[in-house]
Amino acid sequence: MSTKIKVKDKFFSPFITAAEIDAAIEKMAAQMNINYKDKRPLFLSVLNGSFLFTADLLRKITVDCEVSFIKLSSYSGTQSTGVVNSLIGLNEDVTGREIIILEDIVDTGHTIVKLVDLLKEKNPSSIKVATLLYKPEAYKMDVPIDYVGLSVGNDFLIGYGLDYDGAARNLKEIYKIE
Ligand code: IMP
Ligand code: MG
């Protein structure tokens, strides 16, 4: 594995190898292949961070399935000062579907909670959450995280889809801030 790298103004050191990422995804896929036999799940991949995870996971899914890509966009409401969230990119009718949300990382959980709330309004038959990385010390929400690739500490990570100010998403391995 490579050594310390510099991205913009910060240094990062190797943390999770490509082989460890692959093994974690293999385990998640194996569970899903059992749990979703004959259920034709609809994977909803949350852009941008989940693109590599989604591509690698889906190649290990052997059950009949569909995949679509969504984004949570936030904007300031015109009337109130509160931030309004909306789901963009969802063209499928999710009514009665078995949804699996694919996230790169669940940190405080604000993102996943909003996503689940917005999706519930569309009456799917189930919503499960799968995340490659999970920060249990930061997560204070009630939404269960059903599939976890790897649990990590509270450090800032980059690589394999995760960015630092737009950079480093292309790295094959995951790096931790120094
Ligand atoms: P949450 O809403 O706090 O759970 O954060 C979710 C989003 O924050 C993720 O989808 C990432 O885009 C970003 N994020 C959280 N932790 C990290 C990290 O360690 N590195 C890069 N992005 C992160
Ligand atoms: Mg993200």
Side-chain angles (χ1 to χ4, degrees), residues 84-98:
V84 182
N85 287 275
S86 69
L87 201 56
I88 55 176
L90 186 65
N91 303 316
E92 286 73 12
D93 180 7
V94 304
T95 313
R97 296 296 305 267
E98 311 258 3

Side-chain angles (χ1 to χ4, degrees), residues 28 44-51 53-54 72 100-106 111-112 115 129-133 147 162:
M28 299 172 93
L44 294 181
S45 169
V46 186
L47 293 174
N48 293 325
S50 301
F51 74 111
F53 170 46
T54 301
L72 191 63
I100 307 173
I101 299 174
L102 299 181
E103 262 288 20
D104 50 354
I105 187 163
V106 172
T111 310
I112 203 70
L115 269 175
V129 177
T131 187
L132 176 63
L133 300 166
Y147 299 89
L162 298 166

Side-chain angles (χ1 to χ4, degrees), residues 103-112 135 139 155-158 162-164:
E103 262 288 20
D104 50 354
I105 187 163
V106 172
D107 186 350
T108 65
H110 286 111
T111 310
I112 203 70
K135 293 182 174 175
Y139 190 71
D155 309 281
F156 186 74
L157 307 176
I158 58 163
L162 298 166
D163 71 305
Y164 169 45

